[in-house]
Amino acid sequence: MAFFATAVFLTAYAFIAADRINKTVVALAGAAAVVILPVISSEDIFYSRETGIDWDVIFLLLGMMIIVSVLRQTGVFEYVAIWAAKRANGSPLRIMILLVLVTAVASALLDNVTTVLLIAPVTLLVCDRLEINAAPFLMAEVFASNIGGAATLVGDPPNIIIASRAGLTFNAFLIHLAPIVAVVIVVFIVMLPRLFPGSFAVEPERVADVMALEEREAIRDRGLLIKCGVVLAVVFAGFMGHGALHLEPSVVALLGAGALVMTSRLDRSDYLSGVEWETLLFFAGLFVMVGALVDTGAIGALAKTAAELTGGNALLTTMGILGVSAPVSGIIDNIPYVATMTPIVAELSTTLPNDLHPDALWWALALGADFGGNLTAVGASANVVMLGIARRAGNPISFWEFTRKGIVVTAVSVALSAVYLWLRYFVFG
């Protein structure tokens, strides 16, 4: 069965990469194939935490999409767009740098999917005002989101999985991963002009028009904005303290969405206008195909083989986990990969020399999985969400357009991470 699951996944992946057929159709067709064969059962699909559809991700996305739809009615995105453009004096490069920094910091505090859902409307409005292509800006932001999310326990779903298995604290992630994340973000910003050449030309007339705008006039409904602000504050607090509250982020997002739907009194078409139904269906199909790989042991066999090749050498094991995690996470989505790798890393950490920092392997896994999410368009949840937003906004980003940039960003990020891990845990101890 592992052969069939792998064959279906690779075939679907090839069609997604070719970008000739709608990726949602491909994902659903692949999911149907593994069910009909049958490789995976309906019970495994709908009820298994290890192999089934990750309903937390699906409903977190749905809740935040509804919240963003309501928030859009207030005009706050226009306000922020004009404010950002004016602070950057209308320079597209400065605007991109500003948005990248905001995205990276926000992704360290929130999950990266929530961050891109909030920052994308602002980006689209800025680019529309300046009449420039929004695709490079959206790609830069999702890269920054995956990088920034690596800095904290709550920034990226793989980190939450790792923390749960290894017993790591919020402060531990901040102390061990935030320094390298800061370095990678600085290098990434320096790379932006070369990564997106020709994306920063703008007509002087458009700059003058933007500079003449008054951002305060963009706010259309101050009362609704206040309600949204209160709900968002409560939702973000819920995200930060979901462990103590015993509420999953998906439940927090849905409660927030429900509160806004009831208090805003908007028409159904208004609060559902921003829901990316195709993106949600794509995730469902992808989860089923990856679940089949997990259920049949294909992912586990690949991970174990890669781990065994290190032969018990601490440095080689650490670099091996980092080096394998990045490309594999970029191909199959980093959430199921980390879920599969954590028991293997836990076992390896008990067999290596005592002079190695006990958590070094976990940091290698986290960095490889988080930074590897930038490799392809399906490497991380935030990538899929951002591409869906771009397509609906009339700025489609192809699989290969994203991947060409993502390979460069991932290679640089992983190379810097390798140097960091070597220096911190093997040179300076």
Side-chain angles (χ1 to χ4, degrees):
M1 286 299 178
F3 171 79
F4 291 113
T6 304
V8 169
F9 179 82
L10 292 177
T11 301
Y13 197 88
F15 277 109
I16 292 172
D19 209 26
R20 294 184 180 276
I21 302 176
N22 184 288
K23 67 177 183 291
T24 302
V25 174
V26 173
L28 292 178
V34 296
V35 171
I36 292 171
L37 279 173
V39 174
I40 188 170
S41 68
S42 59
E43 183 177 353
D44 289 331
I45 291 172
F46 294 112
Y47 303 110
S48 172
R49 188 171 183 84
E50 290 76 25
T51 63
I53 296 172
D54 193 330
W55 297 111
D56 283 330
V57 171
I58 298 294
F59 287 115
L60 171 64
L61 289 173
L62 177 61
M64 290 309 300
M65 286 174 178
I66 293 174
I67 290 173
V68 170
S69 293
V70 176
L71 191 58
R72 186 180 288 114
Q73 308 303 317
T74 67
V76 69
F77 292 126
E78 290 91 335
Y79 175 93
V80 176
I82 296 169
W83 178 87
K86 290 176 72 172
R87 293 301 177 277
N89 292 320
S91 166
L93 178 58
R94 292 177 185 171
I95 292 171
M96 181 181 282
I97 292 172
L98 177 61
L99 292 174
V100 160
L101 288 172
V102 170
T103 303
V105 173
S107 291
L109 302 175
L110 306 170
D111 68 276
N112 47 18
V113 171
T114 300
T115 301
V116 300
L117 282 170
L118 292 173
I119 202 70
V122 176
T123 305
L124 292 170
L125 285 165
V126 170
C127 293
D128 181 63
R129 291 285 188 176
L130 294 175
E131 293 186 356
I132 55 179
N133 183 16
F137 291 78
L138 295 174
M139 282 191 285
E141 287 160 8
V142 80
F143 291 148
S145 177
N146 289 325
I147 294 170
T152 67
L153 187 155
V154 299
D156 215 353
N159 291 6
I160 298 175
I161 298 172
I162 291 170
S164 176
R165 179 76 185 200
L168 298 169
T169 65
F170 185 93
N171 288 339
F173 274 85
L174 201 61
I175 292 169
H176 289 273
L177 297 189
I180 182 59
V181 168
V183 171
V184 173
I185 281 294
V186 170
V187 173
F188 175 62
I189 289 174
V190 173
M191 292 168 57
L192 289 176
R194 291 184 176 275
L195 199 61
F196 302 103
S199 301
F200 308 108
V202 62
E203 296 293 333
E205 294 80 8
R206 299 304 305 165
V207 175
D209 290 343
V210 169
M211 296 302 291
L213 294 172
E214 177 53 58
E215 55 263 40
R216 293 181 181 177
E217 296 177 359
I219 302 298
R220 297 188 294 271
D221 191 332
R222 295 183 184 277
L224 182 57
L225 179 58
I226 293 173
K227 293 177 184 177
C228 289
V230 172
V231 169
L232 276 174
V234 174
V235 167
F236 292 161
F239 287 162
M240 296 291 290
H242 71 91
L245 296 171
H246 303 291
L247 286 176
E248 292 299 323
S250 55
V251 176
V252 175
L254 286 175
L255 289 173
L260 279 182
V261 168
M262 287 190 295
T263 59
S264 65
R265 297 181 180 178
L266 293 172
D267 292 336
R268 183 173 59 181
S269 59
D270 290 330
Y271 62 76
L272 292 180
S273 61
V275 176
E276 302 277 345
W277 298 110
E278 280 199 15
T279 298
L280 298 179
L281 288 173
F282 174 77
F283 269 120
L286 187 63
F287 281 134
V288 173
M289 287 192 293
V290 173
L293 292 176
V294 175
D295 192 45
T296 57
I299 291 180
L302 175 63
K304 287 181 180 178
T305 300
E308 289 171 358
L309 291 175
T310 61
N313 181 286
L315 177 60
L316 188 58
T317 301
T318 303
M319 295 303 163
I321 290 174
L322 175 69
V324 170
S325 297
V328 176
S329 293
I331 294 172
I332 68 168
D333 188 278
N334 51 20
I335 296 174
Y337 170 75
V338 167
T340 303
M341 276 296 291
T342 48
I344 298 171
V345 173
E347 180 64 27
L348 283 172
S349 64
T350 64
T351 63
L352 294 179
N354 293 328
D355 57 346
L356 175 68
H357 189 285
D359 299 326
L361 299 186
W362 294 113
W363 305 135
L365 177 62
L367 290 172
D370 293 343
F371 291 163
N374 279 329
L375 186 65
T376 71
V378 296
S381 302
N383 305 4
V384 179
V385 172
M386 187 65 90
L387 264 62
I389 293 172
R391 183 184 64 255
R392 286 190 59 181
N395 295 273
I397 302 169
S398 72
F399 179 94
W400 287 112
E401 182 183 1
F402 185 98
T403 303
R404 282 196 300 270
K405 310 292 185 183
I407 289 173
V408 176
V409 175
T410 301
V412 172
S413 302
V414 172
L416 291 170
S417 298
V419 174
Y420 172 77
L421 291 169
W422 174 62
L423 289 174
R424 180 153 186 176
Y425 303 112
F426 293 92
V427 176
F428 300 110

